[in-house]
Amino acid sequence: MKIEKDRELNVFMDKAANLVAFFCGLFVLLPFKLKPYTVFAFVLLALFSKIKFKNRLKCDWKSILIYNFFTICCALSLFYSNDLHRGFTILGRYVPLLLIPIAFSFLSSDTKEKFNQIFIKTFILASCLYSVLIFIYLFKLGYFSNEHDLSYCYSYITFEFYGINEHPIYISVYFSIALLLLLIKGFENRIINVILFLLLISGLFILSRKGPIISFFIVSFLLLILKKERLQLYKLIVVFIGVFSVSLFIPEIKNRFLEVLDTNKVLNNSETSTGIRKILWKNSWELIQKSDYLGYGIGDVQEVLRKQLAENGFIILSKENYNAHNEYLQMGLAIGFLGFLLFLSSFFFFLFSFIKKRNSSGIVVFLFFSLVFLFESFLERQNGIIIYSFITCMFIFSSDFAKNLRDET
């Protein structure tokens, strides 16, 4: 009787893990309000697993604590934040940073493996579908018939795109993650992998977000070098040069890349993406120095940066509620130099553990996010927090990846 009951529980657990993994893998296609429910579903799966296996599963509290140095520092910063309401609202966004690693620790090795496999394949396919939908949407908006330019279409992709409501920079990060997962652990059929890769890379370039594009190609080259896959590396270089060359025939994309080389579009220019970032970085650094490197607390960062921009003459930018557009500077503004160092220590703790294990995939995933952080305050939005937590914890807490990647050596 007990054996039959255990068998039924195992079957139920397998089905539940597959269903939750599929739902979480659809993250990129879910509307903004539904995305947090992926965390809720995953936590429920983990709690059921913990109850089922009782004391047989040990939670890795050390890794969870180190992973949440940033969350702890943000919570402590509330003591010197003036706007506590906004501070608690922002702190609420960071809950997935705590819940997702705990949930991963509650899962059995078999459940983690099943979850990872389904999640990865679903996420890749969902991202490919998103890319296809973008081109269909561009066609409907009249881009290919020259009725509207890309800048006009980007605003519709952000606010009107089938109710998903996602900023192109975050979509680009999703596509980059899907591309990395495809290189790390793609489908068995090579032709399918090639088709999916081209769909994703086309979507990545049509959105023309420089930060994710540069970050992806740096770490993808590194991944193939570490794996000693020279043929794949050469193919990637050819594809990159080919797609990049074709994209340069599109004026908007060409101008977005060439603006980096034009000092008039970078220095004190509030009309280009590169120029805006330069202004925000400079003002953020000035504020960090004024705070004696202690930060202003997560509740006050937005208002402090807004006032600084206004005082320096950037009135329009001050009204747009911009963040620092650099996660490291954002941390410096919110939790100060000490908090920033604690975040880096936790980040490098996991990075060095991957290096020690010769886990090339874990290395490039962490390096990818470290590069994205240079161009975007990625953890300021809950969408960024959730996907960052899922992807990084998948490598930190999953024995499936540890086992497979040890086989590389």
Side-chain angles (χ1 to χ4, degrees):
M1 188 71 179
K2 186 177 183 300
I3 296 175
E4 184 65 25
K5 186 177 180 180
D6 288 342
R7 186 180 300 164
E8 290 177 0
L9 279 172
N10 286 330
V11 171
F12 175 80
M13 196 66 192
D14 288 345
K15 291 181 179 179
N18 292 340
L19 183 62
V20 172
F22 179 75
F23 177 60
C24 293
L26 290 176
F27 180 87
V28 63
L29 289 173
L30 295 176
F32 179 80
K33 292 183 179 180
L34 290 182
K35 280 180 166 63
Y37 286 99
T38 58
V39 180
F40 178 74
F42 185 61
V43 170
L44 281 182
L45 175 70
L47 288 174
F48 183 83
S49 176
K50 183 66 173 176
I51 293 171
K52 175 189 171 185
F53 290 97
K54 297 180 181 178
N55 294 327
R56 284 182 283 172
L57 293 176
K58 292 183 179 180
C59 194
D60 187 0
W61 291 111
K62 176 184 175 182
S63 296
I64 292 170
L65 176 62
I66 295 173
Y67 189 82
N68 276 278
F69 278 171
F70 170 67
T71 313
I72 294 169
C73 289
C74 288
L76 292 175
S77 76
L78 290 174
F79 285 105
Y80 53 91
S81 291
N82 292 320
D83 192 341
L84 289 179
H85 180 267
R86 179 173 176 79
F88 277 108
T89 300
I90 295 173
L91 189 62
R93 298 176 192 167
Y94 299 144
V95 170
L97 290 170
L98 179 63
L99 293 182
I100 291 178
I102 292 176
F104 262 108
S105 290
F106 282 176
L107 296 177
S108 67
S109 296
D110 289 341
T111 305
K112 286 178 187 176
E113 184 174 353
K114 290 182 176 65
F115 178 88
N116 293 340
Q117 290 174 353
I118 300 297
F119 176 91
I120 288 174
K121 286 180 169 56
T122 305
F123 189 85
I124 292 172
L125 292 174
S127 298
C128 289
L129 178 57
Y130 204 135
S131 181
V132 172
L133 289 174
I134 285 175
F135 283 96
I136 293 174
Y137 200 68
L138 290 175
F139 177 80
K140 290 175 64 177
L141 288 174
Y143 169 69
F144 294 107
S145 58
N146 294 321
E147 294 179 35
H148 299 289
D149 60 17
L150 264 183
S151 298
Y152 172 89
C153 295
Y154 287 150
S155 63
Y156 275 84
I157 290 174
T158 303
F159 299 108
E160 304 290 339
F161 188 78
Y162 304 121
I164 298 177
N165 300 333
E166 190 66 275
H167 193 281
I169 192 107
Y170 283 81
I171 304 171
S172 298
V173 172
Y174 301 154
F175 288 176
S176 299
I177 293 171
L179 283 164
L180 282 175
L181 293 175
L182 194 60
L183 291 174
I184 292 170
K185 201 172 186 179
F187 294 80
E188 293 181 2
N189 190 300
R190 291 187 177 182
I191 295 176
I192 292 177
N193 286 334
V194 171
I195 294 172
L196 297 179
F197 188 90
L198 291 175
L199 287 174
L200 289 167
I201 205 71
S202 299
L204 184 62
F205 269 94
I206 200 66
L207 293 173
S208 66
R209 304 295 126 167
K210 299 183 290 294
I213 290 174
I214 293 171
S215 301
F216 165 70
F217 279 101
I218 289 175
V219 298
S220 60
F221 290 155
L222 176 62
L223 174 65
L224 296 180
I225 290 172
L226 291 174
K227 286 190 170 186
K228 300 179 181 179
E229 295 184 7
R230 292 185 179 181
L231 182 59
Q232 292 291 88
L233 178 62
Y234 297 149
K235 289 180 180 178
L236 183 64
I237 293 173
V238 171
V239 170
F240 169 68
I241 294 175
V243 176
F244 183 70
S245 300
V246 171
S247 67
L248 290 180
F249 286 96
I250 302 174
E252 295 92 342
I253 297 178
K254 178 182 178 181
N255 292 335
R256 284 183 64 85
F257 280 97
L258 292 183
E259 74 181 24
V260 179
L261 305 177
D262 189 344
T263 55
N264 292 325
K265 293 183 177 181
V266 175
L267 299 178
N268 293 322
N269 190 323
S270 59
E271 297 182 359
T272 66
S273 61
T274 306
I276 290 173
R277 277 175 168 76
K278 182 73 174 178
I279 292 169
L280 293 171
W281 295 347
K282 182 180 179 182
N283 281 268
S284 296
W285 178 242
E286 289 176 359
L287 283 171
I288 292 172
Q289 292 176 301
K290 288 180 181 178
S291 73
D292 294 326
Y293 303 97
L294 297 175
Y296 298 90
I298 58 172
D300 299 347
V301 172
Q302 194 73 59
E303 182 63 17
V304 169
L305 182 56
R306 186 194 67 78
K307 289 181 178 179
Q308 176 77 3
L309 289 169
E311 289 176 4
N312 288 340
F314 301 105
I315 307 299
I316 297 178
L317 291 183
S318 70
K319 296 178 180 179
E320 295 294 329
N321 288 324
Y322 277 107
N323 55 42
H325 274 59
N326 177 299
E327 189 59 50
Y328 304 116
L329 290 175
Q330 191 77 30
M331 290 179 189
L333 286 170
I335 57 180
F337 191 64
L338 179 60
F340 170 69
L341 286 180
L342 283 172
F343 170 79
L344 281 187
S345 67
S346 67
F347 197 89
F348 282 110
F349 172 82
F350 295 112
L351 181 60
F352 288 142
S353 69
F354 288 133
I355 293 173
K356 185 178 179 180
K357 296 174 183 177
R358 298 184 182 180
N359 183 331
S360 58
S361 301
I363 293 170
V364 298
V365 164
F366 265 74
L367 288 178
F368 170 74
F369 280 110
S370 71
L371 291 174
V372 168
F373 288 172
L374 289 171
F375 306 101
E376 191 69 25
S377 297
F378 193 71
L379 300 181
E380 282 301 289
R381 291 193 181 193
Q382 194 168 59
N383 291 357
I385 292 166
I386 293 173
I387 199 62
Y388 170 80
S389 300
F390 266 123
I391 299 300
T392 54
C393 289
M394 186 178 294
F395 285 86
I396 293 170
F397 297 97
S398 294
S399 57
D400 172 42
F401 279 105
K403 179 183 66 177
N404 290 339
L405 294 166
R406 278 198 300 270
D407 293 341
E408 292 176 2
T409 61

